[in-house]
Amino acid sequence: MLNLIIFGPPGAGKGTQSAKLIERYHLVHISTGDIFREHIQNDTELGKKVKNIMASGQLVPDSITIEMLEHEVKKNPNAKGVIFDGFPRTVPQAEALDNFLQSMNQKVNIVVQLDVNEEELRTRIAERRKVSGRADDAEEKLMKRMDEYFNKTIHVLPYYEQQNIVTKVNGIGLIDDIFDQLCEAIDPLV
Ligand code: AMP
């Protein structure tokens, strides 16, 4: 069982690289952002709760996010592995994930960090805005998401660095070259 976290700020390429990783390693993709968006689209109770929070670019409270994440993992008991995309975004989420995996005799095996500078991120999201239709890609919402990343999410990295499981990859360049670097880090684990 391979539990992999793909880590990086909004626009770093997590979704793009996750799609390629799933194909190569046959992993289940759990993107908390995608799941929240699905709930909003289906107008579920959870969707109603998180709609405004998400549209403003803020993080959804940990308790809601963790509960949803655990539910999603349990739905895939036979998975060969999981890519966690967009989770954990806070240290309490990281701690909750560790405890949860430990209760199943598992752990986070690797965290791959896509390193992209802020200027490049803004350019990419401006491009994505034209096609994504995501309300939270709008300029002022994006500022909030960047704030959330640099204030809260960035602290997740030292948490995993302490465990010696972080591989940092330059996230600027050709998609396939970045993917090759990710595979180099992951191949020895499978
Ligand atoms: P993403 O698609 O990963 O960029 O996530 C979009 C939005 O969903 C975020 O800006 C948050 O509002 C919410 N979200 C996704 N994942 C999390 C998480 N792990 N913790 C809190 N909020 C999240």
Side-chain angles (χ1 to χ4, degrees):
M1 180 88 189
L2 177 75
N3 291 305
L4 179 160
I5 292 172
I6 187 149
F7 189 89
K14 300 190 295 292
T16 304
Q17 294 297 335
S18 291
K20 293 173 76 69
L21 292 169
I22 297 156
E23 208 176 298
R24 177 170 169 126
Y25 298 106
H26 309 288
L27 307 171
V28 171
H29 181 211
I30 299 187
S31 155
T32 42
D34 283 352
I35 302 167
F36 282 137
R37 278 184 286 276
E38 218 175 279
H39 276 278
I40 291 171
Q41 213 159 27
N42 296 332
D43 206 23
T44 65
E45 279 310 304
L46 177 61
K48 287 183 188 126
K49 253 192 239 172
V50 302
K51 189 174 180 181
N52 290 337
I53 303 174
M54 258 183 90
S56 71
Q58 283 174 284
L59 291 186
V60 173
D62 285 339
S63 56
I64 297 178
T65 309
I66 290 164
E67 188 183 283
M68 184 190 78
L69 188 276
E70 292 185 359
H71 178 75
E72 209 57 33
V73 173
K74 285 181 192 153
K75 268 174 35 187
N76 295 285
N78 300 319
K80 279 183 73 173
V82 176
I83 299 187
F84 296 94
D85 169 3
F87 185 97
R89 264 178 154 99
T90 64
V91 172
Q93 289 182 15
E95 289 167 347
L97 180 62
D98 269 355
N99 290 335
F100 176 61
L101 291 177
Q102 213 167 50
S103 73
M104 299 183 299
N105 284 322
Q106 290 181 43
K107 59 179 183 175
V108 176
N109 302 97
I110 183 168
V111 178
V112 286
Q113 176 197 0
L114 292 173
D115 189 32
V116 178
N117 65 51
E118 213 170 325
E119 195 189 330
E120 169 78 11
L121 294 173
R122 289 186 185 282
T123 311
R124 286 186 187 183
I125 295 199
E127 281 304 306
R128 184 167 86 184
R129 190 179 298 143
K130 295 180 192 157
V131 292
S132 75
R134 279 180 56 164
D136 61 350
D137 276 348
E139 183 66 30
E140 71 281 10
K141 312 293 165 55
L142 173 63
M143 301 264 279
K144 183 70 203 161
R145 285 163 66 210
M146 289 291 182
D147 274 2
E148 294 284 64
Y149 179 80
F150 287 107
N151 288 328
K152 297 176 186 163
T153 306
I154 200 73
H155 302 300
V156 170
L157 263 187
Y159 177 87
Y160 288 118
E161 274 164 357
Q162 272 173 15
Q163 300 182 16
N164 272 322
I165 54 171
V166 179
T167 298
K168 183 167 164 174
V169 167
N170 181 0
I172 300 183
L174 294 175
I175 289 174
D176 284 341
D177 289 348
I178 298 166
F179 181 62
D180 286 346
Q181 290 177 60
L182 295 178
C183 294
E184 238 172 73
I186 298 165
D187 277 348
L189 303 174
V190 293

